[in-house]
Amino acid sequence: MSRAFVVREYGGPEQLKLENVEVGAPGPGQLKLRNKAIGLNFVDVYQRTGLYKTPLPFTAGNEGAGEVIAVGPDVTGFQVGDRVAYQGPVGAYADERLLPADKAVHLPEGISYEVAAAALLKGATAFYLLHWTHELKAGETILVHAAAGGTGQILVQWAKAIGARVIGTAGSDEKCEIVRQCGADLAINYKTGDFVAGVKEFTGGKGVDVVYDGVGQATFEPSLDCLRPRGLMVSFGNASGPVSMPRLGILADKGSLYVTRPTGAGYFRTAEDIRTAADALFNMIELGRIKVAIDQTRPLAEAVAAQQALEARATTGSTLLLP
Ligand SMILES: NC(=O)c1ccc[n+]([C@@H]2O[C@H](COP(=O)([O-])OP(=O)(O)OC[C@H]3O[C@@H](n4cnc5c(N)ncnc54)[C@H](OP(=O)(O)O)[C@@H]3O)[C@@H](O)[C@H]2O)c1
């Protein structure tokens, strides 16, 4: 038996119910893992509330790292005892789980379970946003919202490593200090200040090349005013609520802009896609170019409080749940 946080109805954090579940043996193409560390992500909240429809019931959680304890038929490349990490599919908030082998990546020696669980989903996202959604180049200028968050801190550090100029927003002065420590050229407290004016001033009125926006509703429209003509708006999340697309002509009015709404599911379609992103991320971590901030660590049993803190904007960096 394994403890697991199961969601049987969409709703508030109280819908995360700790249950004892039978995990069983891995089927064809599957691994059985003993989780060593589990990463918390905002997508876990969207799935729990039903904003992102996930077939019920499901075990929450999309990111983790652990030890392979059984290998299903037809699986090649993995054996019992291997150290692996994964991002998606759901089922991470548990002591043990089954996982499609094509979602697992091997951990290099220098990457701990904790770092992998704190960084794989967020860092693979940063990789695809900076390399595949837009191939970021040295000298380009970007705006990253919620830059002190789990995904935000990795995005800022990676963009700086590429050689971009980075403006980060965050919801307090303390968070802005973290954004600067990640290397951002400018940090703007968007709770107390006007980030559009800050971006205009920093760029001499030109605007940025790309906005990376995981905040959504609260920042989407003003972010369009931060872009240069033909700049790219990457709306990749909805921490403040989902964006309803305003009339299409707004993109013409504001300078022939581009908008995209990418998801991991759209970019990580094969095992090779995931391995490419994971290899690049682990390499950046091992080189010391990206530091993974594990700012909150809780026992797995505290998953409800962990999600409440994330929703209340009371976290920075990554949160780990430990089985
Ligand atoms: N599309 C993809 O492939 C993909 C993959 C990974 C993550 N994401 C998205 O990226 C975003 C960040 O994810 P994360 O897991 O790394 O979370 P996070 O950034 O660690 O936490 C969310 C942050 O959003 C900010 N925020 C602004 N308004 C908020 C509000 N009304 N309620 C709650 N938070 C608010 C808060 O920072 P401040 O206090 O500084 O504002 C908060 O700390 C999420 O929208 C997530 O869904 C998308």
Side-chain angles (χ1 to χ4, degrees):
M1 297 296 272
S2 161
R3 292 176 305 160
F5 274 97
V6 179
V7 176
R8 296 189 174 277
E9 277 178 61
Y10 300 129
E14 71 285 351
Q15 294 302 338
L16 288 167
K17 309 276 194 211
L18 189 56
E19 299 183 4
N20 285 313
V21 300
E22 187 68 56
V23 180
Q30 288 185 324
L31 303 173
K32 184 172 182 178
L33 303 187
R34 181 171 300 127
N35 278 324
K36 300 286 190 178
I38 298 152
L40 189 79
N41 290 279
F42 226 96
V43 65
D44 308 347
V45 173
Y46 307 142
Q47 289 168 337
R48 189 204 74 221
T49 61
L51 177 66
Y52 293 178
K53 293 281 178 276
T54 306
L56 296 166
F58 65 91
T59 295
N62 295 270
E63 182 181 39
E67 184 187 349
V68 175
I69 55 172
V71 176
D74 306 334
V75 173
T76 54
F78 292 94
Q79 40 189 329
V80 170
D82 281 357
R83 300 166 67 246
V84 300
Y86 57 89
Q87 51 149 359
V90 287
Y93 290 12
D95 296 316
E96 294 180 3
R97 69 165 298 168
L98 299 176
L99 182 79
D102 61 3
K103 302 288 183 198
V105 293
H106 288 282
L107 290 186
E109 242 174 59
I111 302 291
S112 67
Y113 288 124
E114 289 77 12
V115 165
L120 184 58
L121 190 154
K122 300 159 189 83
T125 300
F127 171 82
Y128 89 71
L129 291 176
L130 297 174
H131 290 282
W132 292 343
T133 304
H134 170 77
E135 180 73 66
L136 187 68
K137 290 169 273 306
E140 288 187 314
T141 305
I142 66 170
L143 171 63
V144 177
H145 287 307
T151 308
Q153 287 197 38
I154 297 178
L155 261 175
V156 170
Q157 294 176 78
W158 209 323
K160 285 308 300 176
I162 290 170
R165 295 201 308 161
V166 179
I167 306 168
T169 59
S172 71
D173 292 343
E174 294 72 27
K175 288 185 178 183
C176 282
E177 184 49 38
I178 292 172
V179 175
R180 280 187 285 272
Q181 279 167 16
C182 287
D185 301 276
L186 176 69
I188 301 173
N189 180 340
Y190 55 5
K191 257 195 187 162
T192 56
D194 175 352
F195 71 83
V196 179
V199 167
K200 286 273 164 66
E201 191 188 333
F202 183 79
T203 59
K206 280 193 193 148
V208 298
D209 297 286
V210 187
V211 176
Y212 290 103
D213 183 7
V215 172
Q217 194 176 60
T219 45
F220 182 84
E221 279 205 48
S223 292
L224 300 180
D225 291 321
C226 295
L227 284 163
R228 66 160 168 83
R230 287 181 282 146
L232 174 64
M233 174 70 191
V234 182
S235 177
F236 70 100
N238 8 246
S240 68
V243 175
S244 353
M245 184 65 193
R247 67 188 172 80
L248 193 59
I250 197 170
L251 302 179
D253 298 346
K254 293 186 184 290
S256 301
L257 302 177
Y258 295 84
V259 177
T260 185
R261 176 55 176 96
T263 64
Y267 278 84
F268 299 121
R269 303 190 75 84
T270 66
E272 198 192 333
D273 295 335
I274 297 170
R275 268 200 308 272
T276 300
D279 286 351
L281 172 69
F282 294 151
N283 186 44
M284 291 294 279
I285 294 171
E286 288 185 312
L287 289 172
R289 311 291 300 270
I290 290 176
K291 297 206 167 26
V292 180
I294 302 173
D295 288 345
Q296 298 79 213
T297 301
R298 292 172 175 272
L300 171 62
E302 293 181 13
V304 172
Q307 284 203 359
Q308 283 168 329
L310 187 66
E311 285 185 281
R313 304 170 75 166
T315 65
T316 56
S318 298
T319 300
L320 284 186
L321 300 173
L322 298 181

